[in-house]
Amino acid sequence: MLVLALDTATSTVTAGVVSLPDSGSPVVRGQRVAADARKHGELLMPNVLAACAEAGVALRDVDAIVTGTGPGPFTGLRVGMVTAAALGDALGKPVHGVCSHDAIAREACADRLSGNLIVVTDARRREVYWAGYEAEGARVTGPHVEAPAVLVERLGGFPSVAAAGERADVTGLPVIGPATAGAAGLVAVAADALRAGADPGPLRPLYLRRPDAVEPGARKRVSA
């Protein structure tokens, strides 16, 4: 099975073509990664086409699409999700959404850690997104959005041996890779559903914050 994997939940724009065997780990056949927090829209499709070219396949050859659903800032995150949905509709392929932190954890825990893992990414506004995982990569808490100081306080109740993600350094724990979600990790999270041919659920972004824009209230009367 050939899977196109996308993620724009962080400042990094990732696109990859991955072979998913009937058993065993996903194998990356082509991948492009570009780091630019302000050019998700400009970089994603060129990365998709370059990854396909590296893998020696056309877009129509993929069997399914997997996209990271965050947590991530609104503008960047929706680029990947909307692109995945549009490609799925145009190609007639199923689109599976997975938590981007889960993908990072799946790769970080590939060699089995001796304890829990924390995944931390940049939420901007002096905050971070984070989630906690067991050594095998199963998520047990989060994702949350909080100030780094609050996260550090919470680590007392979730002792961990390492941290991964682009803001892993705020934890004070040993930092391991990857910093962002890779194609192999994204497909690994969705592997069971892909192999079973399960119908994907609706794509739901993990923004974690309420939107800044709100509907205007009723107009105030200016006369008695």
Side-chain angles (χ1 to χ4, degrees), residues 1-2 54 99 159:
M1 177 185 293
L2 279 179
E54 182 182 347
C99 174

Side-chain angles (χ1 to χ4, degrees), residues 49-60:
L49 297 176
C52 287
E54 182 182 347
V57 301
L59 270 174
R60 63 178 177 274

Side-chain angles (χ1 to χ4, degrees), residues 178-201:
T180 57
L186 292 162
V187 173
V189 176
D192 289 345
L194 290 166
R195 288 179 175 131
D199 291 332

Side-chain angles (χ1 to χ4, degrees), residues 4 20-21 24-25 36-38 48 62 82 88 94 168 171 182-183 195 206 217 223:
L4 175 65
L20 181 65
S25 301
D36 193 322
R38 298 184 180 276
V48 167
V62 304
V82 169
T171 65
R195 288 179 175 131
L206 295 169
S223 60

Side-chain angles (χ1 to χ4, degrees), residues 41-221:
E42 293 90 337
L43 295 171
L44 182 55
M45 278 310 298
N47 278 9
V48 167
L49 297 176
C52 287
E54 182 182 347
V57 301
L59 270 174
R60 63 178 177 274
D61 297 326
V62 304
D63 300 298
I65 300 170
V66 173
T67 182
T69 59
F74 179 81
T75 302
L77 179 56
R78 68 177 177 175
V79 168
M81 296 184 65
V82 169
T83 299
L87 288 173
D89 184 62
L91 300 171
K93 309 296 183 180
V95 181
H96 294 261
V98 300
C99 174
S100 303
H101 280 192
D102 291 357
I104 295 172
R106 190 62 63 94
E107 291 191 50
C109 296
D111 296 326
R112 295 295 181 93
L113 300 176
S114 60
N116 296 330
L117 171 76
I118 296 290
V119 173
V120 191
T121 58
D122 190 6
R124 304 176 187 174
R125 304 183 189 178
R126 300 180 181 178
E127 292 182 321
V128 293
Y129 300 117
W130 71 276
Y133 297 81
E134 294 178 336
E136 294 79 12
R139 179 163 25 114
V140 294
T141 183
H144 311 282
V145 57
E146 292 173 325
V150 176
L151 165 59
V152 172
E153 290 180 2
R154 291 187 183 277
L155 290 180
F158 190 78
S160 306
V161 299
E166 60 186 352
R167 293 299 310 278
D169 59 302
V170 305
T171 65
L173 295 167
V175 175
I176 60 176
T180 57
L186 292 162
V187 173
V189 176
D192 289 345
L194 290 166
R195 288 179 175 131
D199 291 332
L203 294 177
R204 292 193 174 94
L206 295 169
Y207 295 132
L208 303 191
R209 290 192 182 107
R210 295 180 62 85
D212 292 329
V214 296
E215 293 184 9
R219 293 185 178 182
K220 294 181 179 179
R221 297 182 62 181

